[in-house]
Structure formats: structure tokens, C-alpha cells
Amino acid sequence: MTQRRGTLHLLLPLLALMLLVTGCPKRPATTAASAPAPTASTIVPTAPVQPTPAAPSTSPSTSAPAPAPAPAAPATAAPATPPRPSEFAENANLRDVYFDFDKYDIRPDDAKTLDANAGWLKSNANNLVLIEGHCDERGTNEYNLALGERRAKATMNYLVSQGIQANRITIISYGKERPVCTEKNEACWQKNRRAHFLVKAR
Amino acid sequence: MSTPRRLAFAFAALLAAAALLLVPPPAARSQAPDVLLNVIAGGAKKLNLFMPDFTVTGAPDPAGLSRSLAEVTGNDLTFSTLFSVVGGQPPLPAGNPDAMQKTWTEAAAAGAHAALHVVVTPRPDRLEGEMRLYDLTSPQLRQIATKKFAVVPSEPRRLAHKIADEVVFQFTGELGDADTKIAFVALRGGAKEIYTMDYDGAAPVPLTANQSINLSPRWSPDARSLAFTSYMRGYPYLYRLFAFERRPVQLLAGFLGINSSPAWSPDGRQVALTLSKDGNPEIYVLTLASGAFRRLTTHPSIDTEPAWSPTGREIAFVSDRSGSAQIYVMDAEGANLRRLTQSGFNTQPRWSPKGDTIVFTSRQGTHDLWAVAPDGSALRRLTTGPGDNESAAWSPSGRHLAFQSNRLRGSKVFTMLADGSEQQPIANAPADSASPAWSPRLP
């Protein structure tokens, strides 16, 4: 190991010479300034949804049993495993709401839409609702997964504030993975930054 | 003095000599029009490596391994950017030192600094290869390294890759990046499936075929498995698949909400990930042996995309707690938070294998890759369009980066050197591929 390191040290200046440094226009400023620190780690014992670790549809696996590292699952008030998204259906009475770029707060106009959706859900109390959170194509997959989650959650929270029971609501984020519009312009992106509703009879 | 060290001296001397004397590239032989496999512009800065086609012993060569494996090794060495490879010449006869001496002498006279001779021996159960490296600048044209390899017969390209990695090791003290895979996400109809291919784009094979959305493949440090997010059961759960074994997919995290953004700890015992089960996206660490989840962030904003430092002591991540997405660093217990980027919209932190650089994606209209030191200094831009350039993945040595770019039509996996130079698409990589994950060196 020391041999390798010694060799590397010898070569580094040479390699540096060989590598042409590229230009560096517009740069986002960085500093090492500190930001508010989070509190230290906490073990959170919420019950995970635990589908069995079989792999019905993923190649190249076989169905031989394998011990997934199954987290211990202490009982909590967490809802039971939600129905699959494919069990929910479109309903024309529930209208989408839309979000500003990179935002997940409910806009005033969309609050009215959500009031109407809440009204329908109150008068159709036998329906569960699935709220999908979506993003436009800008931004990275992982970040948009989180952003879509926040949009679905903000929408859910609004409906709960209007008297819809939280246990009727399931949320799912699709991030940027399920756009309704694929053109590269703001009109299209706005259509994609949405919360969409599906329902399922209890 | 160790062999690599001696070679390093030789390499340094060669480079100095090359710079001073402007050594011309070795001349092509008239009877071999394809003699120059690769002569790079600016080749004077590289080591001129003479490499005849491989000598296949003991049998005729119906599969054409002599030429095909030499081409793979030659391309690997060219990719490393350390060598100007001169190949395409007929193989040396086996066990004929005089013929070899004559060939080496001619190559040296034409400007070659080193020569690589590989003897391949097919066996019923394995493919053996022996590489011998010669210093053509020494008066005796002396042999400076030799090493034997064996691979299963079904994977002959790995023999070529291993030889290339060893040649890089002999000249730099560190193995090359050729005997590796790149996993990626491919758009297939409405689905996104995870594939793997050789680092050079050969032999793409699907790892998932569940017709749902599969995202964020991340290799385990032992290069045997990948963690990934999948909607195969409807909701975005985190799974682990074994790339080279017939083993079932394991569920790693199936909580309500998102289970995303896996990042293996350097020792492979833990996976950092994003869960929203407690209300909003936060970063947790899963200990695989116990199944215990440890929460690291506690903030009402988005916290996601963890990336371990190679020591395992720190984790970089993305948070929008300042109002826009920025890169932060905390220690592996969640304390000692510091903000790394100040302006713009920055995601996808990727810590370099040597620990000295964090590459990330910055959005300024379109996306481009930037790099910064973990203390916030040495900020520099790696890509400048065209299109979106994002989702970087380090090669094991840290000399190369893979990334996705839509500068050509559709998304494709590209590579570049860590300083942003030598940007090029992986030639044979499938179309509509994204989110590359460069494997550690294969076991």
C-alpha cells in the first residue's frame, strides 16, 4: 500500500500537467458557513409497511426464500397497508390542483378547488382517496420524489383541515416520473406540477 | 525499489523526454492499414504503448480472441487517457524470443515507450491470460512486469479489462477502472427498468423487468448487489437486488410515503436513505444486520439524497431548508451540520472515492455538473451544456465520472475525466438511459 501511495505521489504532478483545466464561468457561491444544526439522531419506531420479501416480477431472481433484513415492527397507530394505487379509479368530481415551481404550498385559487373536492368527499363518505403528487421535468429524480411527496402531503393536510378524516387519505409521490405533458415549456410544466385524485370504495 | 515505483520514474522520464523531443507517434507499417488502433492528438503527453494482437496458444482461435481481446484492452488503455496505444499488428509467435526482440526493437525505433505482450490460453473451464510488460526505453528492452489472470470462458472481455487495469496499475500505482460495470435506468415504453453493462457499454442486460418505475440504482461496496427504489408494488419502496446471483429481491424499506435515495456506507453495513414516514422527507440510516432505522435529520423541510464520505464519517445531503435546494454536510450521527453551497439550486451530491471532492448538479436554467471541496473551497464547473448534464457517478479510482446528458437526442450516459475534460458518450450504451451508477471493481 505504501508502495502504491509513493508511486502515486510521484505521478500526481505529471498527471496534473496532463489534465487541461476547463474554464469556470458562472459559479454558485459556496462557503463553509454553518447552518442550524439538527438535533442528534433519534430512533423512530414507526411500524413499516412490510410486504413479504418475495419478488414476483423482478428478474433475474428466483422465488427462493431469502431473509430480508426485516426491521422490527412495534405496533403503533400507523395505518394498515394501504390499497395498491391500481385499485383506485379516476373520478371527474375531484379536480387537480397545481403548484408553483419548486413550491408545495396550496395557492388561494387551488384552495377553492380543494374546498369543492372536500365537499364531494364529505358527501361520498364511503370513498377512500389517493392523492398523487407530481412535478415537472426540471430538477433531478430523487429531489422531485421528495417534492412530489410534499405536494401530496400539503394537499392531504388541507383536506384534513376541511374535515376529511386522515385515515381516508393515502398519498403517493411520482416525482417527475408521470408527466401528463411532455413539451418543454412553462404551460406544459405547469400542468405537470399537480396533485391528482383517485378514489376507491371502502 | 518496487516495480511500480521504478516504472513511475521511467514514466516520468519518458514524459519529460517526450515533451522535449516531441517524439513522433510510431509509424504505421504499410502492409497493415489498421495498424494505428488509436493515436491521440497530443500523444506526446502520453505513454506510447505498443501492443500486438494477443497470442492465443494451444488451439486455433475460432472466436477471434487474438484480435477482439486486444481491441478491448487497447480501448481500455486509450480510455484511461494515459496511453497512446499502437495496436492492430499480428500476434507474436509463442515461445520465440528472437521474434519478440526484433518486433520490440522496431517498435522502440518507431517511438514506442513500452510494449505489452499477452498470451491467452483457453482451457475447458477457464480462459487464462498472461500479460508481460516491457520497457522499450531500456537498452535491454527488459521485461518490467508479468501477471496471470483467469476468467470464466463466458466472460472473455473481463480478461481484457483485467489486463488493462493491471497495465494502469504498473504505471500509476493504482488499478484502472475497466473491470467494472455501470448500472443505469432505461426508459422502456412507459416503464423505467434498471440495466447493467460493462463500463464501456458492452453487454447491456436488464436487472429488473417489472414494468413499473425503478430508480436510483446504487452498487453495494462489494459490487454484488444494488439498492434501488421501485414502484413494483405500487408505492415507492426501497429494495436490493443481486446483480450476478439468482437470489430474490429484498425489501429494504417499505414504509408509508417515499423510501428513496439509497447510499451505501463504505463498509456496506448500512444504507442511508430518505423516508417520509414521519411526515416529511428525512434522512435515516438503515443497519442491514439488525434492520434498525436511525433518523439523522429533523427539519420540516425536504432532506434527501444522502452521500457518504469514503471514510464513513460524514454524509452530504440535499435540503431546501434555506428556501432552495442546497448541499449540506453532517457527520454520520446527524450533528455538526454545515452548508456547502449558497446559491442556485443544487442537488445530487456525490463524494469522490478519495474524499477530496463532492460533485453535484446545479440548475441554472439547465443542469450542469460542478465540483467543490468538502470544506466549500475549490468550487469549479465541470460541464457547460449543451442540454442537461446531471446524475454524476464516480469511477472506483476517482479518475472518471459517468453522468447523464441529453445533449444528443434523448438521454444518454456519458463519461469524462474528473476535471470535466474528455466528455464523450459511452459509444454502445443503449438509448434513453440515465442515472448511471459505476460499480466498484468487480469481485
Side-chain angles (χ1 to χ4, degrees):
Chain A
M1 200 58 213
T2 50
Q3 290 174 359
R4 294 190 185 192
R5 193 168 289 128
T7 306
L8 202 60
H9 284 162
L10 282 170
L11 271 187
L12 277 177
L14 290 163
L15 292 173
L17 278 175
M18 295 160 74
L19 304 175
L20 290 174
V21 178
T22 55
C24 195
K26 259 172 53 177
R27 46 170 50 201
T30 67
T31 71
S34 62
T39 54
S41 57
T42 322
I43 294 174
V44 182
T46 305
V49 179
Q50 283 296 327
T52 54
S57 56
T58 302
S59 75
S61 307
T62 67
S63 57
T76 69
T81 304
R84 283 196 174 220
S86 56
E87 296 174 33
F88 291 84
E90 301 283 341
N91 187 301
N93 296 297
L94 298 175
R95 287 168 49 214
D96 289 359
V97 291
Y98 298 93
F99 297 85
D100 289 338
F101 183 50
D102 271 344
K103 301 293 188 209
Y104 40 86
D105 46 320
I106 304 295
R107 305 190 298 204
D109 283 359
D110 289 300
K112 292 174 191 157
T113 303
L114 288 182
D115 289 342
N117 287 352
W120 186 89
L121 287 168
K122 281 177 188 166
S123 50
N124 293 272
N126 64 325
N127 279 290
L128 305 175
V129 61
L130 178 69
I131 305 174
E132 299 177 349
H134 295 273
C135 306
D136 67 32
E137 67 174 18
R138 294 170 295 172
T140 53
N141 302 81
E142 293 92 346
Y143 189 80
N144 277 325
L145 214 52
L147 184 60
E149 173 82 8
R150 294 302 304 255
R151 287 174 176 166
K153 185 77 176 209
T155 306
M156 171 181 171
N157 288 345
Y158 187 93
L159 291 180
V160 170
S161 77
Q162 297 305 303
I164 307 301
Q165 288 177 302
N167 65 9
R168 290 178 64 193
I169 305 174
T170 302
I171 63 171
I172 183 170
S173 173
Y174 285 108
K176 63 191 274 189
E177 311 302 330
R178 290 270 172 91
V180 291
C181 183
T182 55
E183 294 161 31
K184 291 183 181 299
N185 57 58
E186 173 53 30
C188 184
W189 292 329
Q190 174 62 88
K191 290 177 189 167
N192 289 334
R193 296 191 302 265
R194 70 201 191 276
H196 182 64
F197 302 85
L198 299 168
V199 297
K200 175 188 188 306
R202 290 201 217 232
Chain B
M1 199 184 284
S2 71
T3 297
R5 181 173 292 229
R6 272 203 314 271
L7 280 170
F9 276 126
F11 194 22
L14 282 168
L15 287 168
L20 287 173
L21 303 174
L22 298 174
V23 174
R29 292 182 182 177
S30 56
Q31 71 272 26
D34 58 345
V35 63
L36 295 180
L37 186 66
N38 269 301
V39 172
I40 307 298
K45 289 177 182 165
K46 306 180 190 215
L47 190 83
N48 292 334
L49 181 74
F50 182 77
M51 198 188 83
D53 287 349
F54 294 172
T55 303
V56 178
T57 65
D61 182 19
L65 293 177
S66 170
R67 166 60 56 88
S68 65
L69 294 188
E71 282 182 354
V72 171
T73 299
N75 288 337
D76 290 345
L77 293 171
T78 300
F79 178 82
S80 78
T81 71
L82 299 170
F83 303 94
S84 184
V85 176
V86 181
Q89 306 235 23
L92 298 176
N96 188 335
D98 291 342
M100 187 176 73
Q101 187 79 6
K102 182 168 179 290
T103 304
W104 284 179
T105 302
E106 290 172 2
H113 303 130
L116 173 66
H117 182 214
V118 176
V119 179
V120 175
T121 307
R123 309 271 187 205
D125 59 335
R126 64 193 187 279
L127 188 64
E128 291 178 354
E130 180 175 0
M131 60 149 279
R132 296 165 194 156
L133 202 54
Y134 296 84
D135 178 3
L136 300 194
T137 66
S138 71
Q140 309 82 16
L141 308 179
R142 64 190 170 85
Q143 179 175 309
I144 46 183
T146 179
K147 188 156 184 178
K148 289 181 181 175
F149 300 94
V151 300
V152 295
S154 59
E155 295 182 335
R157 297 182 98 255
R158 285 197 66 190
L159 180 63
H161 289 324
K162 285 172 178 291
I163 288 166
D165 285 347
E166 179 66 19
V167 171
V168 171
F169 171 75
Q170 290 297 332
F171 286 105
T172 67
E174 184 162 16
L175 286 168
D177 293 313
D179 191 26
T180 58
K181 300 275 186 184
I182 292 178
F184 58 97
V185 174
L187 197 59
R188 291 294 173 263
K192 285 189 168 184
E193 305 285 3
I194 293 173
Y195 281 64
T196 187
M197 61 186 176
D198 288 6
Y199 94 98
D200 57 7
V205 292
L207 295 177
T208 66
N210 55 45
Q211 281 108 44
S212 75
I213 303 164
N214 299 280
L215 301 170
S216 309
R218 298 286 185 274
W219 290 93
S220 57
D222 64 5
R224 292 175 55 211
S225 65
L226 297 110
F228 65 107
T229 299
S230 176
Y231 287 73
M232 71 173 97
R233 288 177 204 156
Y235 293 94
Y237 295 158
L238 198 75
Y239 300 88
R240 176 190 199 180
L241 66 79
F242 292 85
F244 312 110
E245 301 162 63
R246 296 193 65 81
R247 286 176 66 174
V249 168
Q250 293 178 353
L251 178 74
L252 295 182
F255 295 96
L256 289 174
I258 54 172
N259 304 258
S260 67
S261 273
W264 293 85
S265 66
D267 65 8
R269 294 177 181 174
Q270 297 180 307
V271 175
L273 72 166
T274 303
L275 303 174
S276 60
K277 67 190 179 69
D278 297 310
N280 77 93
E282 303 278 7
I283 292 170
Y284 297 74
V285 169
L286 162 64
T287 300
L288 291 168
S290 67
F293 288 86
R294 187 162 50 93
R295 181 169 170 177
L296 296 191
T297 58
T298 307
H299 198 282
S301 65
I302 290 172
D303 295 313
T304 187
E305 297 200 84
W308 295 82
S309 75
T311 63
R313 286 207 292 267
E314 291 187 298
I315 294 175
F317 67 103
V318 173
S319 179
D320 76 335
R321 60 187 66 191
S322 71
S324 66
Q326 301 294 340
I327 313 290
Y328 294 77
V329 174
M330 60 184 167
D331 64 32
E333 286 71 49
N336 296 314
L337 185 80
R338 65 181 195 271
R339 181 171 166 178
L340 207 58
T341 58
Q342 291 300 320
S343 63
F345 181 97
N346 304 305
T347 60
Q348 299 184 318
R350 309 281 199 254
W351 215 307
S352 70
K354 295 196 171 23
D356 56 349
T357 302
I358 295 171
V359 165
F360 60 95
T361 303
S362 187
R363 186 174 72 205
Q364 296 174 355
T366 55
H367 298 81
D368 273 301
L369 294 168
W370 292 68
V372 67
D375 65 358
S377 68
L379 180 73
R380 67 264 190 203
R381 187 170 187 162
L382 301 182
T383 65
T384 309
D388 296 288
N389 302 278
E390 55 187 295
S391 203
W394 289 93
S395 73
S397 75
R399 293 194 63 236
H400 302 270
L401 287 160
F403 62 102
Q404 78 179 60
S405 177
N406 60 5
R407 67 181 69 179
L408 308 175
R409 203 169 46 185
S411 180
K412 199 145 198 244
V413 178
F414 279 60
T415 59
M416 62 181 173
L417 287 175
D419 67 353
S421 64
E422 306 276 348
Q423 295 177 27
Q424 55 186 312
I426 295 179
N428 301 313
D432 294 320
S433 50
S435 301
W438 206 317
S439 82
R441 293 191 183 90
L442 296 174

